[in-house]
């Protein structure tokens, strides 16, 4: 069955990289595995070998004849767009592993959906566009470092598992991919996450501008005081500010207006 461009389908066919994803799963601390986009089932059949409850979300109903053979008492295929799925039904599961070869154009919305549904997965092993992985893994003082880098890091410790060439897929995408592992951050900073997200979005809203300009609706005197305590020039841009400083800013400042 041919891949459909409208669903961003690129099926992983290289067993070496399939094994890399499977080996990245901490099966001993997993109660439930959720797979996003099983496609032809290359990962699904290997995930079944873990002997855990497996639920896979597939948006393309034409793949039913291929995927139905994997269903049994422990494996369920749900034919639904994952972005519309009510994930609250999984909140009682303490240790969820999410696995997926994500369509590149909706990688960030999928991860945001998982976070906002508050199912708090123990780990996520995901195939994403290499450029996106670089952004998720970016360090301060790099051009890739941005709002979502820090927002994601609040919830997860992120590592690169392996880079994947386009030749590992059918059809071959025009870009390279990366498998990343996101592990639940057990000791998260004690801050209001909504305020932190708002501060980050404002700070990186215009990356070429100084932080002072992007945070014009906030109490700049408090921000300046925090920057000084870390020996950071008040003319710095957001990409020059490390995570711990943004956390301190989110703790003490209030948004007056934007």
């Amino acid at each position: 069955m041919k891949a459909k461009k409208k669903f961003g389908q690129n099926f992983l066919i290289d067993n070496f990289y399939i094994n890399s994803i499977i080996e990245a799963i901490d099966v001993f601390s997993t109660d439930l595995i959720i797979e996003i986009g099983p496609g032809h089932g290359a990962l699904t059949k290997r995930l079944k070998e873990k002997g855990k409850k497996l639920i896979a979300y597939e948006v393309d109903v034409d793949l039913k004849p291929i995927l139905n053979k994997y269903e049994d008492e422990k494996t369920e295929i749900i034919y639904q767009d994952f972005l519309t799925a009510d994930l609250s039904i999984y909140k009682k599961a303490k240790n969820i592993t999410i696995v997926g070869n994500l369509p590149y154009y909706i990688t960030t919305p999928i991860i945001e959906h998982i976070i906002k549904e508050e199912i708090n997965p123990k780990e996520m092993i995901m195939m994403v566009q290499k450029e996106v992985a670089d952004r998720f893994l970016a360090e301060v003082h790099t051009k890739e470092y941005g709002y979502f880098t820090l927002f994601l890091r609040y919830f997860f410790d992120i590592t690169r598992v392996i880079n994947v060439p386009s030749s590992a897929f059918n059809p071959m995408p025009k870009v390279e991919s990366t498998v990343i592992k996101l592990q639940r951050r057990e000791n998260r900073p004690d801050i209001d996450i909504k305020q932190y997200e708002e501060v980050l979005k404002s700070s990186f809203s215009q990356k070429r501008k100084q932080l002072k300009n992007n945070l014009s609706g906030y109490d700049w005197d408090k921000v300046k005081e925090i920057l000084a305590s870390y020996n950071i020039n008040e003319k710095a841009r957001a990409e020059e500010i490390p995570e711990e400083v943004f956390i301190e800013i989110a703790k003490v400042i209030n948004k007056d207006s934007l």
Side-chain angles (χ1 to χ4, degrees), residues 169-188:
F169 300 87
N170 182 27
M172 289 196 299
K174 295 179 181 179
V175 296
E176 291 188 345
S177 304
T178 297
V179 178
I180 56 173
K181 182 169 184 173
L182 302 92
Q183 294 173 286
R184 184 168 63 207
R185 191 171 176 178
E186 300 295 351
N187 298 309
R188 294 172 181 167

Side-chain angles (χ1 to χ4, degrees), residues 51-82:
K52 303 292 183 178
K53 175 67 176 174
L54 171 62
I55 297 173
Y57 283 86
E58 176 55 58
V59 69
D60 188 357
V61 295
D62 289 341
L63 292 172
K64 273 188 178 184
I66 295 173
L67 293 174
N68 281 352
K69 63 185 177 184
Y70 297 114
E71 289 200 277
D72 55 31
E73 68 281 355
K74 280 194 170 182
T75 302
E76 179 183 4
I77 313 291
I78 299 174
Y79 294 93
Q80 179 183 357
D81 182 348
F82 183 78

Side-chain angles (χ1 to χ4, degrees), residues 134-149:
D134 291 343
R135 195 160 70 243
F136 291 172
L137 291 158
E139 297 296 336
V140 64
H141 298 294
T142 64
K143 66 178 181 179
E144 292 84 9
Y145 184 76
Y147 145 70
F148 205 69
T149 308

Side-chain angles (χ1 to χ4, degrees), residues 20 39 127 131 192:
S20 296
M127 178 91 70
E131 181 182 308
D192 182 328

Side-chain angles (χ1 to χ4, degrees), residues 140-141 145 202-216 220 223-224 226-228 230-242 245-246 249:
V140 64
H141 298 294
Y145 184 76
S202 297
S203 298
F204 287 93
S205 59
Q206 298 183 74
K207 291 188 75 171
R208 290 178 177 273
K209 288 194 173 185
Q210 294 176 12
L211 185 68
K212 181 177 183 178
N213 293 324
N214 287 338
L215 293 181
S216 59
W220 180 249
V223 177
K224 187 167 64 171
I226 292 169
L227 294 179
Y230 283 89
N231 294 315
I232 297 173
N233 192 300
E234 66 174 280
K235 295 183 178 179
R237 296 195 298 267
E239 65 187 37
E240 301 172 85
I241 311 298
V245 178
F246 276 118
I249 291 172

Side-chain angles (χ1 to χ4, degrees), residues 65-109:
I66 295 173
L67 293 174
N68 281 352
K69 63 185 177 184
Y70 297 114
E71 289 200 277
D72 55 31
E73 68 281 355
K74 280 194 170 182
T75 302
E76 179 183 4
I77 313 291
I78 299 174
Y79 294 93
Q80 179 183 357
D81 182 348
F82 183 78
L83 286 173
T84 67
D86 177 10
L87 303 183
S88 64
I89 59 175
Y90 305 122
K91 282 187 177 181
K92 290 184 180 180
K94 289 184 179 179
N95 298 308
I96 300 174
T97 292
I98 299 178
V99 182
N101 174 18
L102 305 187
Y104 297 147
Y105 68 100
I106 54 170
T107 295
T108 298

